[in-house]
Amino acid sequence: MAKWNIILALSVFLVLYGGGMTQSFTIDYERDCYSKDGECYRYIAGEMHYFRIPPHYWEDRLLKLRAAGFTTVQTYIPWNVHVPAEDTYNFEGIGDVYRYMKIAWSLGITVIVRPGPFLATEWDYGGFPAWLLKDRPTLDVRRNETVFMGEVRKWYAKLLPTLKPYLYSNGGPIIAVQVENEFGSNKPCDAAHFDYLTQLREIYREHLGDDVVLLTVDGDSHALAKCGNIEGLYSTVNFGSGGNITDKFMVQRKQEPRGPFVCSAFFSGWLDHWGHRFAKTEAEHLARGLRDVLEFNDKSASVSMYMFHGGTNFAYMQGGRGDWNNATTTAYPRLWGKMTSYDYDAPLSEAGDTTWKYQLLRDVIRNYSKVDTVPANTTKQYIGPVEMIEQPGGSIIQLMELCAQSAPQFIVKSQFPLPMEQMEQNHGIVVYQTVIPDSISLPADIDIELYGDRVYVFTETWDVQMSSRNRPYKTFTVNGRMLFILVEDNGHSNTGHVRYSYKYYQKGIIGNVTANGQVLTDWNAFLLSNFLPRGPYESGDFYPEVLEELLLQPTKLGKKKSENMDDYLTNLMEKISKSEKYSDNHKSNGFLPTLYRVAHPSLFLDLQDDTYVDTQGWGKGILYVVYYKEGEKPQAMNLGRYWPVAGPQKRHYIPSPGPDRVGWGTALFMLELEQVPANMTVVITDTPLVDGTFDSSQQ
């Protein structure tokens, strides 16, 4: 650690004062290479995203990168991580990109950053903040459109000047910056398309200067590369192993007649969706492909492996793949949510462990670059089966009551239902509630115009009915008058198309709800995912008084009265509490979403190492951990979604609490939406399972 501090101090000194050294990183068009400090240079980079890795593991992952012979780390910088709410900036914790770069530089690792603004990367809305979908009906992303570009300029005016001191020419680690991402795939490829890219180039130059190398990347087809680049941005390609390497690089050469050959994303695996088979790339095949790239053009080609280490899509930040080919102006496009795990079948596993693939790639790279001693993998903790119990006061209705008591600002009243984003909740779960008037006869047929993405409809009879945007349109028949519609989002599409109304990107209820054809009005929307833990990407945990009750007085949760509830809500909750079926919701005709917690004798688990929770037998929901130590403020974290019945992921990574929480207890919570196993257990285990069985019909 002392050595790390010395090197870091020297690096900061050089950044601030120059230290008499002049560093340069440019494109040498005469010698067809990168020039680093005047010498021809090629990098071997690995893609790792700081925002998918617990910060206390950044150094471990970077050491393993260096140990395999990689010279450079490449990372996206997501707009939605750093601006989770409008005019709210976050560069702390898992968002501290500067600390991540400093650690890399202290280890002698250079950096390539990819600030977008569009990223794709199986990340929610492709990196765009979902709050863009509020009050911006003319929003046209990835175009030179006034509203969108105004927000882009504002974001870059905040970010890019802070990156400038980290440029290699200023003594820092950043050797290149990528503009946009696979823009050639965006359509239409017209004058306005290139005008947008031109505007981005000028913004980057304005803030970073003329010396920094600006890159673009596109797929290995001439049409994509042609539509993805303009003068002043150096065109690169991406591809996987297999096929003719020369043909792939010739796509780049047609756009760039001179300069280095660069593969900016050499795929080590592939992305994964709920309900689909886990994608794998055979290790020996990948190793042969990497050797071909490193041998190309007399061993001069640069490459970045996507991904070297994937990590985890914590909280609600996994993206979705929209079925835009089958969308029309009247049909809501289907959407397949990405998994919580971003293992990617990468050389380092989701938990940062070296794999057989890692060893093979290291054996290849050592012929071209210096390798180092490989750090040991982290210890994994096994506990075994752990009983879960229903959190007293934890049914969805009681959580709504608790929200009204403790955080009434997260209840939005409106004449008609509003999308999530319009109510300033970007992800997760909203419960919409209204009363079907006596003038409408029962049973009533409920029709929802549009919703994103999964709905659970019920009344005080507790007959829960479910559907999703991927299924044929469904009318819900109800026999009660207190109508509840719970909507869960499955990730904003990260595919970046611009051809359809932005309402297709919005979540929650979009449009009207009718009962027997009559429009229902006077809605309350309970923004439960603003009320429950949102970390590590968004500020706000359980409100302190709620955390205190969950941890220390679990039997009293939801029992107190509150002055925060208006007469309507008070009367509603009293009616619900007197309902005959409400007190025994597990015996109702449909499972009522409910919060569960570990039933360990102390209500806490002694988790000091990495581990996994096996959720097989459960249905679909969200995992939370709450760290607690007497005398300290409780800390909560949203681990992400689980969905074992859809698969293929069955076990979810729980990182160690970290050095700042040694000796803390860990409470595990599950907000279950659909079903519970008969034995009411999960298994705390020491091995992952991301490639299990799958069922596409669950989508």
Side-chain angles (χ1 to χ4, degrees), residues 52 122-125 274 313-320 337-341 427 489-492 494 640-641:
R52 283 175 160 138
E122 295 70 67
W123 192 250
D124 189 75
Y125 204 11
W274 293 114
N313 297 316
F314 294 114
Y316 306 110
M317 298 306 287
Q318 92 298 325
K338 304 297 198 304
M339 289 195 330
T340 300
S341 171
H427 319 95
D489 91 289
N490 283 333
H492 293 84
N494 62 262
R641 308 172 198 268

Short mmCIF file of all heavy atoms in Angstrom, two decimals, residues 52 122-125 274 313-320 337-341 427 489-492 494 640-641:
data_model
loop_
_atom_site.label_atom_id
_atom_site.label_comp_id
_atom_site.label_asym_id
_atom_site.label_seq_id
_atom_site.Cartn_x
_atom_site.Cartn_y
_atom_site.Cartn_z
N ARG A 52 -19.63 -1.59 -12.64
CA ARG A 52 -20.13 -2.96 -12.49
C ARG A 52 -19.29 -3.76 -11.48
O ARG A 52 -19.49 -4.97 -11.34
CB ARG A 52 -20.13 -3.67 -13.84
CG ARG A 52 -21.29 -3.25 -14.77
CD ARG A 52 -21.18 -3.87 -16.13
NE ARG A 52 -22.47 -3.86 -16.81
CZ ARG A 52 -22.64 -3.56 -18.10
NH1 ARG A 52 -21.60 -3.21 -18.85
NH2 ARG A 52 -23.84 -3.59 -18.65
N GLU A 122 -25.50 -3.24 -22.94
CA GLU A 122 -26.48 -3.97 -22.14
C GLU A 122 -26.81 -3.22 -20.85
O GLU A 122 -27.12 -3.82 -19.82
CB GLU A 122 -26.01 -5.40 -21.83
CG GLU A 122 -25.88 -6.29 -23.05
CD GLU A 122 -24.72 -5.88 -23.96
OE1 GLU A 122 -23.56 -6.02 -23.55
OE2 GLU A 122 -24.98 -5.43 -25.09
N TRP A 123 -26.75 -1.91 -20.92
CA TRP A 123 -26.95 -1.04 -19.77
C TRP A 123 -28.23 -0.25 -19.97
O TRP A 123 -28.60 0.08 -21.10
CB TRP A 123 -25.75 -0.09 -19.64
CG TRP A 123 -25.67 0.67 -18.37
CD1 TRP A 123 -25.87 2.01 -18.20
CD2 TRP A 123 -25.32 0.15 -17.08
NE1 TRP A 123 -25.67 2.35 -16.88
CE2 TRP A 123 -25.34 1.23 -16.17
CE3 TRP A 123 -25.01 -1.13 -16.61
CZ2 TRP A 123 -25.05 1.07 -14.81
CZ3 TRP A 123 -24.73 -1.29 -15.26
CH2 TRP A 123 -24.76 -0.20 -14.38
N ASP A 124 -28.94 0.05 -18.90
CA ASP A 124 -30.24 0.69 -18.99
C ASP A 124 -30.22 1.91 -19.91
O ASP A 124 -29.41 2.84 -19.73
CB ASP A 124 -30.71 1.12 -17.60
CG ASP A 124 -32.14 1.59 -17.60
OD1 ASP A 124 -33.03 0.74 -17.67
OD2 ASP A 124 -32.36 2.82 -17.53
N TYR A 125 -31.10 1.90 -20.90
CA TYR A 125 -31.27 2.99 -21.88
C TYR A 125 -29.96 3.30 -22.60
O TYR A 125 -29.76 4.42 -23.08
CB TYR A 125 -31.84 4.22 -21.18
CG TYR A 125 -32.59 5.19 -22.07
CD1 TYR A 125 -32.97 4.87 -23.39
CD2 TYR A 125 -32.97 6.44 -21.57
CE1 TYR A 125 -33.66 5.78 -24.17
CE2 TYR A 125 -33.67 7.35 -22.35
CZ TYR A 125 -34.01 7.02 -23.66
OH TYR A 125 -34.71 7.91 -24.44
N TRP A 274 -32.75 -12.74 -19.84
CA TRP A 274 -33.62 -13.66 -19.10
C TRP A 274 -34.40 -14.53 -20.08
O TRP A 274 -34.87 -14.04 -21.12
CB TRP A 274 -34.60 -12.88 -18.23
CG TRP A 274 -34.01 -12.10 -17.10
CD1 TRP A 274 -33.98 -10.75 -16.96
CD2 TRP A 274 -33.37 -12.63 -15.93
NE1 TRP A 274 -33.36 -10.39 -15.79
CE2 TRP A 274 -32.98 -11.53 -15.13
CE3 TRP A 274 -33.09 -13.93 -15.48
CZ2 TRP A 274 -32.33 -11.69 -13.90
CZ3 TRP A 274 -32.44 -14.07 -14.26
CH2 TRP A 274 -32.07 -12.98 -13.49
N ASN A 313 -24.75 -6.12 -13.08
CA ASN A 313 -25.70 -5.02 -13.27
C ASN A 313 -26.50 -4.87 -11.98
O ASN A 313 -27.60 -5.41 -11.85
CB ASN A 313 -26.63 -5.31 -14.44
CG ASN A 313 -25.91 -5.43 -15.76
OD1 ASN A 313 -25.03 -4.64 -16.07
ND2 ASN A 313 -26.26 -6.44 -16.54
N PHE A 314 -25.94 -4.18 -11.01
CA PHE A 314 -26.64 -4.02 -9.74
C PHE A 314 -27.91 -3.17 -9.92
O PHE A 314 -28.08 -2.47 -10.92
CB PHE A 314 -25.73 -3.35 -8.72
CG PHE A 314 -24.54 -4.18 -8.31
CD1 PHE A 314 -23.25 -3.78 -8.63
CD2 PHE A 314 -24.71 -5.37 -7.62
CE1 PHE A 314 -22.15 -4.54 -8.25
CE2 PHE A 314 -23.62 -6.14 -7.24
CZ PHE A 314 -22.34 -5.72 -7.55
N ALA A 315 -28.78 -3.27 -8.91
CA ALA A 315 -30.01 -2.49 -8.86
C ALA A 315 -30.86 -2.77 -10.11
O ALA A 315 -31.08 -3.93 -10.45
CB ALA A 315 -29.70 -1.00 -8.68
N TYR A 316 -31.31 -1.71 -10.79
CA TYR A 316 -32.21 -1.86 -11.94
C TYR A 316 -31.51 -1.52 -13.26
O TYR A 316 -32.17 -1.19 -14.24
CB TYR A 316 -33.41 -0.93 -11.78
CG TYR A 316 -34.15 -1.07 -10.48
CD1 TYR A 316 -34.10 -0.06 -9.52
CD2 TYR A 316 -34.91 -2.20 -10.21
CE1 TYR A 316 -34.79 -0.18 -8.31
CE2 TYR A 316 -35.61 -2.32 -9.01
CZ TYR A 316 -35.53 -1.31 -8.07
OH TYR A 316 -36.21 -1.44 -6.89
N MET A 317 -30.18 -1.60 -13.30
CA MET A 317 -29.46 -0.98 -14.40
C MET A 317 -29.18 -1.88 -15.59
O MET A 317 -28.54 -1.45 -16.54
CB MET A 317 -28.17 -0.36 -13.89
CG MET A 317 -28.40 0.75 -12.87
SD MET A 317 -29.52 2.06 -13.45
CE MET A 317 -28.45 2.89 -14.62
N GLN A 318 -29.63 -3.14 -15.56
CA GLN A 318 -29.48 -3.94 -16.76
C GLN A 318 -30.40 -3.39 -17.84
O GLN A 318 -31.49 -2.89 -17.55
CB GLN A 318 -29.74 -5.42 -16.47
CG GLN A 318 -31.15 -5.93 -16.65
CD GLN A 318 -32.20 -5.28 -15.77
OE1 GLN A 318 -31.91 -4.95 -14.62
NE2 GLN A 318 -33.39 -5.11 -16.30
N GLY A 319 -29.96 -3.45 -19.07
CA GLY A 319 -30.77 -2.92 -20.16
C GLY A 319 -31.78 -3.93 -20.68
O GLY A 319 -32.05 -4.96 -20.06
N GLY A 320 -32.32 -3.63 -21.83
CA GLY A 320 -33.25 -4.53 -22.50
C GLY A 320 -33.08 -4.43 -24.00
O GLY A 320 -32.59 -3.41 -24.51
N GLY A 337 -35.46 -8.38 -21.28
CA GLY A 337 -34.56 -7.82 -20.29
C GLY A 337 -33.25 -8.59 -20.20
O GLY A 337 -33.22 -9.82 -20.34
N LYS A 338 -32.15 -7.86 -19.97
CA LYS A 338 -30.85 -8.49 -19.76
C LYS A 338 -30.77 -9.03 -18.34
O LYS A 338 -31.46 -8.59 -17.44
CB LYS A 338 -29.72 -7.48 -20.00
CG LYS A 338 -29.74 -6.81 -21.37
CD LYS A 338 -29.55 -7.77 -22.50
CE LYS A 338 -29.15 -7.12 -23.81
NZ LYS A 338 -30.04 -6.07 -24.29
N MET A 339 -29.86 -9.99 -18.13
CA MET A 339 -29.69 -10.58 -16.81
C MET A 339 -29.00 -9.61 -15.85
O MET A 339 -28.31 -8.69 -16.27
CB MET A 339 -28.84 -11.86 -16.89
CG MET A 339 -29.53 -13.02 -17.53
SD MET A 339 -28.73 -14.61 -17.23
CE MET A 339 -26.99 -14.23 -17.07
N THR A 340 -29.16 -9.88 -14.57
CA THR A 340 -28.44 -9.12 -13.56
C THR A 340 -26.94 -9.38 -13.65
O THR A 340 -26.13 -8.45 -13.60
CB THR A 340 -28.96 -9.46 -12.15
OG1 THR A 340 -30.35 -9.15 -12.09
CG2 THR A 340 -28.21 -8.70 -11.08
N SER A 341 -26.57 -10.64 -13.78
CA SER A 341 -25.15 -10.95 -13.97
C SER A 341 -24.69 -10.47 -15.33
O SER A 341 -25.37 -10.65 -16.33
CB SER A 341 -24.92 -12.47 -13.87
OG SER A 341 -23.60 -12.80 -14.26
N HIS A 427 -36.83 3.70 -12.52
CA HIS A 427 -36.79 2.25 -12.67
C HIS A 427 -37.63 1.59 -11.58
O HIS A 427 -38.02 2.23 -10.61
CB HIS A 427 -35.36 1.71 -12.54
CG HIS A 427 -34.31 2.53 -13.20
ND1 HIS A 427 -33.58 3.49 -12.54
CD2 HIS A 427 -33.87 2.53 -14.47
CE1 HIS A 427 -32.73 4.05 -13.37
NE2 HIS A 427 -32.89 3.51 -14.55
N ASP A 489 -40.71 -2.49 -14.30
CA ASP A 489 -39.98 -2.35 -15.56
C ASP A 489 -38.92 -3.44 -15.64
O ASP A 489 -38.45 -3.96 -14.62
CB ASP A 489 -39.32 -0.97 -15.67
CG ASP A 489 -37.91 -0.96 -15.12
OD1 ASP A 489 -37.76 -1.04 -13.88
OD2 ASP A 489 -36.96 -0.88 -15.91
N ASN A 490 -38.55 -3.83 -16.85
CA ASN A 490 -37.51 -4.84 -17.07
C ASN A 490 -36.30 -4.26 -17.77
O ASN A 490 -35.56 -4.97 -18.46
CB ASN A 490 -38.07 -6.02 -17.87
CG ASN A 490 -38.93 -6.94 -17.01
OD1 ASN A 490 -38.74 -7.02 -15.80
ND2 ASN A 490 -39.89 -7.60 -17.63
N GLY A 491 -36.09 -2.96 -17.63
CA GLY A 491 -34.93 -2.31 -18.23
C GLY A 491 -35.32 -1.51 -19.46
O GLY A 491 -36.03 -2.01 -20.33
N HIS A 492 -34.85 -0.27 -19.55
CA HIS A 492 -35.06 0.52 -20.76
C HIS A 492 -34.21 -0.05 -21.89
O HIS A 492 -33.06 -0.45 -21.68
CB HIS A 492 -34.66 1.98 -20.53
CG HIS A 492 -35.54 2.70 -19.56
ND1 HIS A 492 -35.35 2.63 -18.19
CD2 HIS A 492 -36.60 3.53 -19.75
CE1 HIS A 492 -36.27 3.36 -17.58
NE2 HIS A 492 -37.03 3.93 -18.50
N ASN A 494 -31.67 -0.74 -24.59
CA ASN A 494 -30.33 -0.18 -24.79
C ASN A 494 -29.88 -0.26 -26.25
O ASN A 494 -28.70 -0.10 -26.55
CB ASN A 494 -29.30 -0.88 -23.91
CG ASN A 494 -29.15 -2.36 -24.20
OD1 ASN A 494 -29.75 -3.19 -23.51
ND2 ASN A 494 -28.36 -2.72 -25.20
N GLY A 640 -30.07 -6.22 -7.23
CA GLY A 640 -30.60 -6.43 -8.57
C GLY A 640 -31.76 -7.41 -8.59
O GLY A 640 -32.25 -7.87 -7.56
N ARG A 641 -32.18 -7.74 -9.78
CA ARG A 641 -33.35 -8.59 -9.98
C ARG A 641 -32.95 -10.07 -9.97
O ARG A 641 -31.87 -10.43 -10.42
CB ARG A 641 -34.01 -8.26 -11.32
CG ARG A 641 -34.32 -6.79 -11.54
CD ARG A 641 -34.77 -6.57 -12.97
NE ARG A 641 -34.68 -5.18 -13.38
CZ ARG A 641 -35.65 -4.28 -13.28
NH1 ARG A 641 -36.81 -4.64 -12.78
NH2 ARG A 641 -35.48 -3.04 -13.68
#
